[in-house]
Amino acid sequence: MRKLVQPACAFAFALAVIVALLALSSESPQRTLVAFFAKPLSSWWYAGNLLNVAGLLILAGTGSAFALRAGAFNLGGEAQLYASALVAAVILAPTGGPAGLAAEGFPRIAFALASAVATGALVAFIPGVLKASLRVSELITSFLLSAAVTPVLDWLISGPLRDPEQNLLATRAIDPAFRIPPIAAPALFNASFFVAVGIAVCGALFLGKTSPGYRIRISGTAPEFARYSGFSVKGATIAGMTVSGALHGLAGFFAVAGTWYMCHSGLTSGMGWGALACALMARANPLAVIPAAILYSWVETATDAASLSARFSFDSSALVQAVIFLVISVQTLGIPFLREKRRRP
Amino acid sequence: MIDDPIAIAAFAIAAMAAPLLFATLGALCSEYAGALAVFMDGAITLAGFVFIAITAATGLPAVGFVAASLVVTGLLWAVAVFTERTGANPFLTGLGVNLFAAGFTSWLSSAIFETQGAVSLTGKAAAAALSFPRIAGFPIAVCSAIALALFVRYAKPGVALRIAGESPEFLAARGFSPPRVRIASWCVAALFASCAGSLLAAGLGAWVPSLSAGRGWTALAAVYLGFRDPIGAIAAVLLFSGADYLTTIAQGTGKIPGTVILGFPYALSLIVFAVIPRSRRATF
């Protein structure tokens, strides 16, 4: 029970900040707050879309949790998601992408899936290797790499890969044959949610019940002990980051195949940071990422609904993430390497 | 009117270097105290917003600068106290500041100016802000660097700041409180961030959400490229600004897309972090 106190406080503080700001900026605070608390569950459209976004967050959040467990901190989730989504959108476009990739049906969607996962993994693999080989902190390299890659992706979407027939800054819509259909329209909720839950469960089992999972956990929490035991701490770091990127890549694939059906400029809109916030709230436990992602998605949906009601919009997700980061960062968190390492007299 | 292309380039580089040098000096103070100034990007963005909002309300850029300094210093003081009292990870709290700045300025710009995009100064306020010569920022920043260099070498509190990160035990033995020195370092960093943010906003006559354009992160790299020394920081910042100027020229020729150039400061910082020896890197 005590383990729940800190994540619960982080969530409660974030909720309080958003509610206060919405109430302050609305001409009718009562109506806005009613919309905030009631709208997300008032219709299947809201609830289904909430769960759909939660599914993407569960995948990426499980990835973030994986890196945390391996003793690494993946701050490049934004670009890993974005790059993977772009790769998926290009491969699944109606004309078949580059010559030779025009195979239809299962082979092409499998190729798109594998490419998206590989792209996310590659973007995360680089900071992992830099940490393992040059001992450059992945905290800064994963962020900087993500920030450097994102404008290039923006340029590709607004330039060479843009759909010339649309006014949107987006790639062409993917072939309808490759779209994951909604389970109950009009909400976008689809099978990817169940895949995400399955992967979170498998991730928890892998980390908790298998020998490689044990090695990764020990390397993350007690690297010196891991070295004495003959485990490769460097290997665990690289593996943790790569798997983390791969899961972000999978989320990017589902974002295109199941939600937007194209890759538009700024597609992730903070989802990478949101996934990290969920992983931190879940104390890097993949199973706990599931409720954390649903709660996080609920706050986002509720804020959107309330903003619509108040005709007032702002970047609420950044504030939610800020509060969660601040509260979760305190030393009582049960992940040893997150604790402050400075020497104190 | 200056016609000499070398002089034009030198003035442009100096104008680009001024806010970056302020940011680097702020990051250096935090680095001395043992924490990477991850918050610098958010602090610059927030300072720029407060500068524009208060200048728009009063028509006085000086009042805007003072307000920006007070708000950003107050925020970073609170976060530094929180970090010290709870033993929080300063990297995470720094990221929290960046996210808070993005979300809070978004809310304020919607609530006050009814826009989520650029907030421009108009009329006399714009004229007053734009009348501040951009080139004047560089000599002020260089003087600040020299003053900081003298402070950390010869002043007792400056020496305490310089060794706060590496030898907190020694600092405590000399009668200083390491947590207080660390908190003070964040406050000084906030003042420098306010200079950077105000200068950037004054140059544009507006605030935009991407005001800092990665300068906070470039500043972190410049700290190490400048050998963790205020005078070295001047050289490092001029190097970064020179590279920035060249890419701007390349952008003008149409050979490099403008969007791609937005990622340049981050790529350059990444390269610097990857190539500098571990002994000169942060302790985060």
Side-chain angles (χ1 to χ4, degrees), chain B residues 57-84:
Chain B
T58 63
L60 299 168
V63 177
F65 171 69
V66 171
S69 303
L70 288 174
V71 169
V72 177
T73 307
L75 173 71
L76 283 187
W77 173 82
V79 176
V81 170
F82 173 83
T83 305
E84 288 296 333

Side-chain angles (χ1 to χ4, degrees), chain A residues 207-233:
Chain A
L207 286 170
K209 303 287 181 189
T210 68
S211 173
Y214 172 75
R215 290 180 179 213
I216 284 176
R217 278 192 295 121
I218 292 299
S219 299
T221 52
E224 289 302 321
F225 178 74
R227 277 189 203 98
Y228 278 117
S229 305
F231 301 160
S232 168
V233 176

Side-chain angles (χ1 to χ4, degrees), chain A residues 91-155:
Chain A
I91 294 173
L92 297 177
T95 52
L101 302 179
E104 294 301 320
F106 181 75
R108 195 159 136 205
I109 202 158
F111 179 69
L113 177 69
S115 302
V117 168
T119 302
L122 178 67
V123 179
F125 172 77
I126 295 166
V129 167
L130 283 174
K131 183 182 185 183
S133 58
L134 298 175
R135 300 175 73 188
V136 188
S137 172
E138 81 293 350
L139 281 162
I140 197 148
T141 54
S142 59
F143 172 82
L144 289 174
L145 183 62
S146 173
V149 165
T150 299
V152 178
L153 299 171
D154 282 335
W155 169 69

Side-chain angles (χ1 to χ4, degrees), chain B residues 4-84:
Chain B
D4 183 9
I6 295 175
I8 292 171
F11 275 106
I13 290 169
M16 285 174 168
L20 182 57
L21 184 51
F22 280 124
T24 305
L25 296 176
L28 184 57
C29 290
S30 178
E31 166 65 23
Y32 279 146
L36 196 72
V38 178
F39 52 78
M40 190 52 73
D41 225 48
I44 292 172
T45 304
L46 185 60
F49 182 87
V50 176
F51 173 81
I52 289 294
I54 300 300
T55 304
T58 63
L60 299 168
V63 177
F65 171 69
V66 171
S69 303
L70 288 174
V71 169
V72 177
T73 307
L75 173 71
L76 283 187
W77 173 82
V79 176
V81 170
F82 173 83
T83 305
E84 288 296 333

